[in-house]
Amino acid sequence: MSENESHTSFLETCFGFRKAAQNFTKLRPDLSLGDPTVCFPGFRQHVTIFKAGQQIQKDAKRLPVDLVMHERVPVIFCQMTPSCITMSPNGKKLGTTVLEDFPFRALVPKHWLLGPDTAFWYAKGYAIVNVDTRGAYTSEGELIIMGHQEAQNEQPWCNGKVGLTGNSWLALSQWKIGSLRPKGLAAFAPWEGIQDIHRDILCQGGTNPINTSGTLRADRAIAESVPKLLLMYDSREWPDYYAGSSCRGLKRFFNCFLKGHRDNGWLVTPKIRLSILNLGLSGLDSTVNRSELEWPLARTVYTNGSIKFRYHVPADMETTGHFTTRLAVLCPSNAGMDLFIQVCRLRGPSFYKQGVLTIRLQNTVVLRLLKLLHDWQIGLQNVGMLFRWRSNEQLRVSHAHKKSTFAAPLEPVYNHVSEIPLEKEEIRVVEVPLRPSGIPQKDDIMELTSPGICVPTLQGEDVGNHVIHCLDREHCSCLVIPCA
């Protein structure tokens, strides 16, 4: 099959999935470019005149003189400049995701687009190219989330050095573009984005998606000879990406590779920096930006937790690393089963879940209210995305038989290219990897649950009774805990 035939077949599959997904998805209506909520109405040049004595905003001082404002004036670069490119189907506000979908708009100011802050980067000598994929926002054509699209390779104002930047989908596209190694690409910085579309979003664990992962696996796949930095932060991706410290660090990275400032210190900075979450809203800060020499941590000791699925933490301990769940499972009525695994922390006489705020609010009153909701476990259905509660993962048992080359000790990764159905009355031992988690405190309860829930699936195997067996010590069902 030729490359064009393969791509045509891929597009036909995408349209088929889209038609099926319409049974589960409520589509967001389009907004016109004239809508007042639109962030970017396009490159419309116009002149606005403000008269002396006019009050621009309520409570603002009146203007002492006339002001003439020329908006969206084309700029001619006085010298060749590097460019930072971001590309996604999100649109400059309209598209698959808008920040208004998140509590407090994820602390991202309303005048910022999904992408790098142009006010910061222009002042640092960079051109920002914010690309809408075909069919997104004002770009013509059909909106295809995945697939190849052509792009113009060179611009006369660019110095020939290009960097990719952005988070979420804007990071996903960087892994694919980077793998093609286009001319001019000097560096890219995927700020939390999946690397393996099949494993991390389409069929995570062989099932339909719940969340995304893959940054840690992607870092391990990059050769140590390649200059790289693994950064784990303590908030959600959007506020962290726009934070001043993050922008300054990213500027030093791009200055090194896009402007040739090899002596600016980036090459000798620690290449692994961790943030360890302190669960429970106790007032204790999380550990942020801690330097390490390797990942996973070489000093980690893996301990089997209780087969009772609740583990009493005997002392303060750090669990920085990959949890793994080993389960001996049986499904008497079906040849396939989907596992959904969660590990959370419980505290206090009522065994309330312990979470951590994912954005850094400055309003003391709001913080106290959120702590009240957290501690009493009430009203959380309205603010759930503000908290991170647990490590979770899922796995289709029929896929858990052949490990991928991406697998590592105590971090199983499966190929997902073939299935071995369960035989009648077969007890199968499987390993389910979970995402790294934070620090439990003394007398916390670490709870492992398998809720048996899933998102709407096109081909589900989560039917019938699921049985978990204890078995003997060597093959027992347990939670493997990383103790650093």
Side-chain angles (χ1 to χ4, degrees):
M1 181 182 293
S2 69
E3 183 175 345
N4 287 337
E5 291 173 333
S6 176
H7 188 56
T8 300
S9 175
F10 170 77
L11 292 179
E12 291 175 351
T13 302
C14 288
F15 284 119
F17 283 150
R18 184 171 67 176
K19 184 176 180 180
Q22 289 175 352
N23 296 324
F24 308 113
T25 305
K26 182 179 179 180
L27 300 179
R28 177 183 288 118
D30 290 337
L31 295 177
S32 69
L33 293 181
D35 190 286
T37 65
V38 173
C39 280
F40 183 76
F43 291 105
R44 299 177 179 176
Q45 302 177 46
H46 64 276
V47 178
T48 303
I49 300 177
F50 299 99
K51 305 299 292 185
Q54 186 175 348
Q55 190 178 33
I56 306 300
Q57 293 180 346
K58 184 180 179 181
D59 297 328
K61 185 178 179 180
R62 295 186 181 277
L63 294 176
V65 296
D66 292 349
L67 289 181
V68 178
M69 180 181 293
H70 297 264
E71 296 191 45
R72 297 181 177 88
V73 178
V75 174
I76 299 177
F77 289 100
C78 59
Q79 60 183 12
M80 304 285 275
T81 184
S83 62
C84 295
I85 296 179
T86 183
M87 177 179 179
S88 84
N90 293 337
K92 298 184 175 65
K93 185 168 184 180
L94 316 176
T96 60
T97 302
V98 294
L99 290 170
E100 280 74 14
D101 294 339
F102 301 93
F104 302 100
R105 206 175 181 268
L107 293 188
V108 178
K110 289 187 176 181
H111 63 279
W112 284 356
L113 310 174
L114 278 171
D117 177 15
T118 53
F120 175 87
W121 290 99
Y122 288 166
K124 307 303 178 184
Y126 287 88
I128 299 298
V129 183
N130 195 326
V131 181
D132 295 322
T133 59
R134 181 172 298 142
Y137 201 60
T138 59
S139 183
E140 298 86 358
E142 286 284 348
L143 176 59
I144 301 297
I145 300 298
M146 311 296 178
H148 295 279
Q149 297 190 19
E150 72 279 0
Q152 189 169 341
N153 193 29
E154 297 180 0
Q155 292 290 345
W157 42 262
C158 182
N159 68 350
K161 298 289 186 179
V162 172
L164 304 177
T165 182
N167 62 309
S168 191
W169 207 102
L170 287 71
L172 180 160
S173 58
Q174 294 180 51
W175 292 114
K176 181 60 178 177
I177 295 171
S179 70
L180 299 175
R181 301 190 178 187
K183 179 183 177 181
L185 180 59
F188 62 101
W191 210 272
E192 188 180 335
I194 63 173
Q195 174 258 354
D196 186 322
I197 295 173
H198 178 79
R199 286 189 177 89
D200 296 333
I201 189 169
L202 292 181
C203 291
Q204 185 179 346
T207 72
N208 281 56
I210 287 182
N211 209 327
T212 58
S213 61
T215 299
L216 298 176
R217 187 170 63 250
D219 175 78
R220 189 170 65 243
I222 300 174
E224 292 300 320
S225 58
V226 177
K228 60 179 180 176
L229 166 67
L230 176 62
L231 176 63
M232 304 181 201
Y233 46 84
D234 65 330
S235 63
R236 284 205 175 275
E237 53 192 289
W238 294 281
D240 189 84
Y241 178 73
Y242 291 109
S245 58
S246 299
C247 290
R248 290 189 294 271
L250 190 57
K251 177 180 73 73
R252 188 160 66 151
F253 170 67
F254 280 145
N255 281 353
C256 181
F257 294 101
L258 271 62
K259 292 187 175 183
H261 299 174
R262 294 297 181 122
D263 58 349
N264 68 355
W266 189 90
L267 292 173
V268 295
T269 58
K271 294 304 179 285
I272 297 175
R273 283 180 271 170
L274 307 183
S275 292
I276 313 300
L277 301 180
N278 185 23
L279 301 177
L281 274 67
S282 61
L284 300 176
D285 293 334
S286 298
T287 301
V288 179
N289 215 24
R290 188 179 78 189
S291 300
E292 293 288 349
L293 297 177
E294 74 287 309
W295 179 265
L297 303 180
R299 61 180 180 274
T300 301
V301 177
Y302 291 89
T303 305
N304 288 357
S306 169
I307 62 173
K308 297 179 181 178
F309 301 101
R310 274 194 176 184
Y311 174 71
H312 177 264
V313 179
D316 290 345
M317 59 191 294
E318 179 177 325
T319 56
T320 303
H322 294 273
F323 287 77
T324 301
T325 303
R326 185 168 66 231
L327 297 177
V329 296
L330 164 70
C331 186
S333 60
N334 195 29
M337 61 188 296
D338 294 338
L339 293 174
F340 297 85
I341 306 299
Q342 300 175 356
V343 174
C344 62
R345 272 40 169 228
L346 311 178
R347 188 173 298 165
S350 299
F351 298 115
Y352 283 152
K353 290 188 301 182
Q354 300 299 298
V356 62
L357 278 173
T358 57
I359 58 177
R360 298 293 168 259
L361 298 167
Q362 303 300 319
N363 189 308
T364 304
V365 175
V366 175
L367 284 173
R368 289 177 178 175
L369 175 60
L370 291 175
K371 179 168 174 54
L372 176 66
L373 298 179
H374 170 278
D375 292 347
W376 289 91
Q377 308 280 287
I378 56 175
L380 297 177
Q381 67 274 12
N382 297 321
V383 294
M385 292 195 68
L386 280 174
F387 296 98
R388 184 177 187 271
W389 298 100
R390 59 186 176 264
S391 294
N392 61 283
E393 191 56 87
Q394 63 256 22
L395 178 69
R396 179 156 292 178
V397 173
S398 58
H399 285 216
H401 60 90
K402 185 175 182 180
K403 293 183 179 179
S404 163
T405 55
F406 292 118
L410 295 172
E411 190 186 351
V413 180
Y414 299 101
N415 274 337
H416 299 296
V417 295
S418 61
E419 294 182 301
I420 299 181
L422 285 165
E423 297 182 2
K424 187 175 182 179
E425 300 302 321
E426 176 192 359
I427 298 176
R428 186 173 297 181
V429 178
V430 296
E431 293 181 330
V432 186
L434 289 95
R435 301 184 184 96
S437 191
I439 302 177
Q441 297 179 10
K442 182 180 179 181
D443 295 327
D444 279 358
I445 300 296
M446 197 176 298
E447 181 181 63
L448 169 67
T449 59
S450 181
I453 60 172
C454 64
V455 297
T457 59
L458 302 180
Q459 292 181 320
E461 293 189 356
D462 201 31
V463 296
N465 293 324
H466 295 177
V467 181
I468 299 177
H469 290 263
C470 293
L471 298 185
D472 55 41
R473 184 67 180 174
E474 182 179 356
H475 300 99
C476 68
S477 296
C478 66
L479 173 67
V480 182
I481 304 169
C483 302

